[in-house]
Amino acid sequence: MNINNIYIQNIPSFCNNTLAISILRADLIDPVVSGNKWFKLQYYVLDAITAGKSTLATFGGPYSNHIVATSKYGASMGLQTVGFIRGEKPPKLSPTLTDAMENGMTLHFISRADFLDPKKIMEENKHASWAWIPEGGYGIKGAEGASSLLTIKNTQGFDTIICAVGTGTMMAGIIKAAAPHQKIIGISVLKNNFSIDTEINALLTTEESKKNFEVIHGYDFGGYAKHTPALIKYMNECYNNMDLPLDFVYTAKLLYAAKDLATKGKFELSSKILLIHSGGLQGNRSFKKGTLIY
Ligand SMILES: *Cc1c(COP(=O)(O)O)cnc(C)c1O
């Protein structure tokens, strides 16, 4: 894990040289604890250590970037990790869960119905030495950690910052750190998740919630972790043309949306746009070999 690997890559070809667009390569921190997961986890991990906890416990699906990131980051900080995984144990574990186990994480499989009630899971697994992290790192600590995505490099020169939105934790963090001249645009990767504004605002102070931001819907390609042949083709093009490895759950939808919005005249020609490459290439491991050229 090395945050010094992060840099801002100019991608003039993104819109055929018509717009000044760059991308923050937060994916380069680490192949596993990549992108925003490391940022979102920082304060959960530091606070757990300060409070003298021995174990991080959290929730996620079988291809969760958050689960495998927690397993590796936790282990690197000398903590035990426990993952409560959505769904019955499959005959063959996903590569993500196999890696999480190899990093030392203890896995507990929870039926889809029971998974909907994390409070109950926490009550049934009460241990004084455990620090719980909400699914996806959602929470104020997660947002505070994510806010350093904007300060790790000089991003003051950008007036438009665009990121993918799952739980909205990363976007809330970026809003916290944003300067008055910056507009933050989030691309929701869930279908018709209109409660996201409330969930983002819940992580902001009253002042922060007056900042200039907007979540855009309609670029989910059918819903969370859904994809189409057009999206896969676009991912291969981005790799070919800009040397950008994207994941189909988050960043491919982000770039596709940004390009579509640019084509539709959403941005001033003078704007300076920064996309956030939030990492998270785990989902791609569910593809058959050869689907992607990378
Ligand atoms: C988890 C993840 C997100 C979503 O972040 P939220 O804080 O949940 O909105 C975005 N991009 C990537 C690559 C991720 O892995």
Side-chain angles (χ1 to χ4, degrees), residues 66-143:
H66 168 72
I67 283 288
V68 72
T70 304
S71 72
K72 185 166 172 185
Y73 191 10
S76 77
M77 300 298 277
L79 296 167
Q80 310 281 321
T81 58
V82 180
F84 290 83
I85 309 300
R86 185 184 63 240
E88 304 299 339
K89 186 172 181 186
K92 189 171 182 291
L93 286 188
S94 68
T96 307
L97 294 183
T98 305
D99 286 359
M101 273 183 75
E102 280 170 9
N103 293 333
M105 183 176 255
T106 306
L107 302 179
H108 296 291
F109 291 87
I110 307 289
S111 74
R112 284 177 172 265
D114 289 346
F115 194 82
L116 295 174
D117 192 354
K119 276 208 187 107
K120 188 159 167 251
I121 298 173
M122 288 162 67
E123 266 160 31
E124 287 170 358
N125 293 277
K126 259 202 183 136
H127 302 283
S129 58
W130 286 20
W132 287 91
I133 304 174
E135 184 175 8
Y138 177 81
I140 290 183
K141 275 184 214 176

Side-chain angles (χ1 to χ4, degrees), residues 156-210:
Q156 287 292 311
F158 296 96
D159 52 48
T160 308
I161 293 158
I162 317 179
C163 67
V165 174
T167 64
T169 312
M170 166 171 63
M171 182 167 176
I174 291 173
I175 295 167
K176 281 180 186 297
H181 70 279
Q182 294 178 318
K183 171 161 192 186
I184 314 302
I185 297 176
I187 305 300
S188 175
V189 302
L190 279 75
K191 197 180 185 72
N192 299 338
N193 184 23
F194 301 123
S195 63
I196 190 70
D197 289 286
T198 313
E199 284 145 21
I200 290 173
N201 276 305
L203 305 180
L204 300 175
T205 64
T206 314
E207 277 310 303
E208 288 164 350
S209 62
K210 290 181 195 146

Side-chain angles (χ1 to χ4, degrees), residues 232-241 291-294:
I232 307 295
K233 184 165 168 273
Y234 184 62
M235 291 168 75
N236 283 328
E237 280 169 20
C238 287
Y239 190 73
N240 251 335
N241 302 340
T291 307
L292 294 171
I293 56 172
Y294 53 93

Side-chain angles (χ1 to χ4, degrees), residues 244-286:
L244 284 178
L246 303 175
D247 80 296
F248 74 91
V249 183
Y250 297 103
T251 52
K253 293 177 184 179
L254 164 72
L255 267 78
Y256 191 99
K259 178 147 188 186
D260 193 54
L261 291 167
T263 311
K264 292 177 176 157
K266 172 89 177 163
F267 312 115
E268 305 273 346
L269 286 180
S270 61
S271 45
K272 294 202 164 34
I273 303 173
L274 181 67
L275 308 174
I276 308 292
H277 193 322
S278 37
L281 297 161
Q282 289 298 321
N284 290 351
R285 301 172 79 182
S286 65

